[in-house]
Amino acid sequence: MSLTWFKKGTIYQIYPRSFNDSNGDGIGDIRGIIDKLDYIASLHVDIIWLSPIFNSPNDDNGYDISNYYSIMPEFGSMQDFDELLEQTHKRGMKLILDLVANHCSDEHMWFEEAKKSKDNSYRDYFHWSKPAKNGGPPNNWKSFFGGSAWELCEITGEYYLHLFTKKQPDLNWENHSVREEIYDAMRFWLDKGIDGFRMDVIPLISKRPGYPDAPDVGFRKIIEDVYANGPNLHAYLKEMNEKVITNYDAFSLAEGVGINEKNVGLYVNKDRKELDMLYHFDILEFTIVNGKFEEITSFDLIQMKRIFKKWRDAVGNQGWIANAMGNHDFARMVSRFGNVEKYYQESAKMLITMLCTQNGTLNIYQGDEIGMTNIVLETIDEVRDVQSLNFYEENKKTKRYSEELALQLINNEGRDNARTPIQWNDEINGGFSIQTPWIKTNPNYKTINVKKQDDDPNSILNFYRTLLKTRKNHDVFVYGEFEELEFDNPKVYVYKKRLGSDIILVMLNFNTINEAIKLDDNVDTLEILINNYPDIEIKNRTTCILKPYQGVIFKKYIIE
Ligand code: GLC
Ligand code: CA
């Protein structure tokens, strides 16, 4: 297995709109990020992933790009970007950008041209289809954000495909020119010196010919079988890798939508020369059965262990994945997986201890390092995210849920939870902006904020710092061979990892009461590396008593 910088690195994702506003317009920007680079470096992260910063009408906050070569004016200028890149590198960190290549904005010149007429030279940049016999959409495909995935173009009388909002028409990758356009844009940024790309919904770029109807099997399965993993996908990924990525010291992190343990190898195994790594959805969508705002299941630790194991086994020594428990598309990690009522700090620290010791690249999301929590939006007017808004509108028609329940579901699962402004201090708007921010600030900024945690050696923030620094110095965290202990125990997650002569023992208590774990090691050979409590109780030198949500990493010494 090759040990490269991007495998060992910790990725810190920034959602620029919500990170830090430098000019008081209520919107985060690039200067705001530059001002916080020392803070980011202080976390001991290695790679910054910026969510899209390109020109966009912001129907989906930048995931609808209208010009791949320019910076969104709200975020700053190209000069600001160049400075950000330089300053990031100066601090020994890398920078990757978000490549949104499955679709662009309907305000991109390509689409503005394409919709004009059937023989426009850009027509074939998109997917068009004649109406069905009844004049409706050509097939039953649903958009990820509700409603049909097809929209009628009044001018030409044909429908175009949009797997996301109707302002995000899907690009036609069959068209060689489309691919070359995207590769050129990638080269433009790589030539500037960026270190790679996070690839937005990249498994969706190859569409099934003839656009066959999706079977009635639940949205998750439809994604896997109908939208993702299309017939030419691997050819495109190989081409993109060969023509672009491999020519730079850069890497690709794919959003693994629709990827499962059976086909992951096709994407990330080294000899395939396609992608360097991906993050899957099994943990991110844990408890979400088929899609947001639908059925959910309760938390089940054994199930979570199985998922981690399944992916570990699936990639083996051949491939690589990144591990995440949250990002800009999901509710806050501590609110979902932790216990914010009673063991807020403990659970926030324990969760990252778990994630940090899973094989793979660690991927953390802005604000999780201070344990930011979900927000309560009081009325639909406070909701900003297009996915939630579309759901709310659609629900008004279908009347599946009451309006109160719909808002409740949005509060539980909606993406705005992750998009509230970063809470820098206890001043107005949490120090994010002097102006009312574009999205509501979580009122708990008075108690949960960077400033306060910076000063507190026992804070979540300082725990992250210690943990990530320790990870940097211990390859075993990242690459170690896993040995599960207590696998069938639904309350604790216990494992050993070894790499050469380095061994760690990780113990995590997911319960709200003490849990006893028998040690098969000589206690004298164990040294505490990480502990989210001030101490650990060991009884009779043979049994650890873990307190609620206690998480401990021991280093084990082999005494000859
Ligand atoms: C990805 C992004 C999400 C976006 C969607 C469409 O899932 O993470 O934020 O809305 O793709 O680009
Ligand atoms: Ca601003």
Side-chain angles (χ1 to χ4, degrees), residues 21-23 25 27-29 74:
D21 173 22
S22 72
N23 63 346
D25 63 355
I27 297 171
D29 46 54
E74 285 173 336

Side-chain angles (χ1 to χ4, degrees), residues 51-71:
S51 275
I53 52 168
F54 318 102
N55 238 321
S56 162
N58 282 313
D59 191 48
D60 188 17
N61 285 352
Y63 284 92
D64 47 325
I65 299 174
S66 54
N67 183 338
Y68 288 84
Y69 295 89
S70 65
I71 303 287

Side-chain angles (χ1 to χ4, degrees), residues 60 63 103 145 164 198 200-201 255 328-329 415 419:
D60 188 17
Y63 284 92
H103 45 267
F145 295 158
F164 295 88
R198 176 266 184 181
D200 189 67
V201 295
E255 182 185 25
H328 65 296
D329 291 331
R415 305 194 296 182
R419 300 176 179 186

Side-chain angles (χ1 to χ4, degrees), residues 285-303:
E285 290 199 327
F286 201 65
T287 73
I288 299 174
V289 179
N290 255 319
K292 292 228 179 88
F293 317 131
E294 290 183 31
E295 188 191 344
I296 55 165
T297 54
S298 52
F299 182 88
D300 173 351
L301 180 61
I302 295 182
Q303 183 58 15

Side-chain angles (χ1 to χ4, degrees), residues 179-402:
R179 305 204 298 277
E180 288 302 327
E181 298 260 21
I182 296 292
Y183 304 155
D184 279 346
M186 293 171 76
R187 287 185 202 106
F188 172 82
W189 295 100
L190 288 163
D191 287 338
K192 273 185 176 286
I194 68 158
D195 305 287
F197 289 100
R198 176 266 184 181
M199 298 181 175
D200 189 67
V201 295
I202 201 79
L204 309 183
I205 58 179
S206 167
K207 312 298 189 238
R208 284 169 175 74
Y211 315 118
D213 267 341
D216 186 14
V217 286
F219 199 60
R220 246 198 123 166
K221 190 87 172 77
I222 290 178
I223 296 173
E224 284 186 27
D225 295 351
V226 183
Y227 296 173
N229 309 305
N232 293 322
L233 179 59
H234 293 291
Y236 300 153
L237 292 177
K238 276 194 177 37
E239 183 182 79
M240 182 160 73
N241 189 55
E242 187 202 312
K243 287 194 166 176
V244 188
I245 300 283
T246 45
N247 303 323
Y248 298 85
D249 183 17
F251 80 105
S252 55
L253 159 69
E255 182 185 25
V257 63
I259 309 299
N260 58 37
E261 71 280 9
K262 292 184 205 85
N263 61 19
V264 60
L266 299 175
Y267 289 82
V268 296
N269 282 357
K270 248 186 114 16
D271 56 1
R272 300 269 310 171
K273 299 197 167 68
E274 294 189 18
L275 296 166
D276 291 302
M277 64 178 92
L278 61 78
Y279 65 83
H280 61 79
F281 277 61
D282 284 353
I283 296 292
L284 286 166
E285 290 199 327
F286 201 65
T287 73
I288 299 174
V289 179
N290 255 319
K292 292 228 179 88
F293 317 131
E294 290 183 31
E295 188 191 344
I296 55 165
T297 54
S298 52
F299 182 88
D300 173 351
L301 180 61
I302 295 182
Q303 183 58 15
M304 181 167 272
K305 297 183 198 181
R306 280 201 198 110
I307 291 173
F308 279 123
K309 178 169 176 358
K310 179 173 91 176
W311 284 90
R312 216 161 49 229
D313 293 346
V315 291
N317 286 327
Q318 293 305 309
W320 198 250
I321 57 168
N323 292 304
M325 294 189 90
N327 61 35
H328 65 296
D329 291 331
F330 292 92
R332 280 285 173 187
M333 137 181 186
V334 67
S335 300
R336 290 182 68 195
F337 303 106
N339 182 327
V340 280
E341 287 81 32
K342 270 192 86 181
Y343 298 102
Y344 163 64
Q345 295 235 6
E346 293 81 356
S347 59
K349 293 173 181 173
M350 188 204 64
L351 289 170
I352 192 64
T353 306
M354 170 176 75
L355 203 63
C356 184
T357 46
Q358 295 295 333
N359 293 23
T361 298
L362 177 63
N363 184 179
I364 60 177
Y365 179 65
Q366 67 176 32
D368 282 342
E369 76 275 18
I370 56 165
M372 278 178 64
T373 63
N374 283 354
I375 184 142
V376 178
L377 301 172
E378 312 277 354
T379 66
I380 192 67
D381 300 330
E382 289 186 338
V383 176
R384 293 287 174 271
D385 175 30
V386 66
Q387 181 180 40
S388 297
L389 291 169
N390 283 0
F391 156 70
Y392 194 81
E393 281 310 309
E394 199 171 83
N395 184 63
K396 264 191 186 162
K397 288 183 212 136
T398 62
K399 299 212 172 5
R400 179 170 176 190
Y401 310 112
S402 70

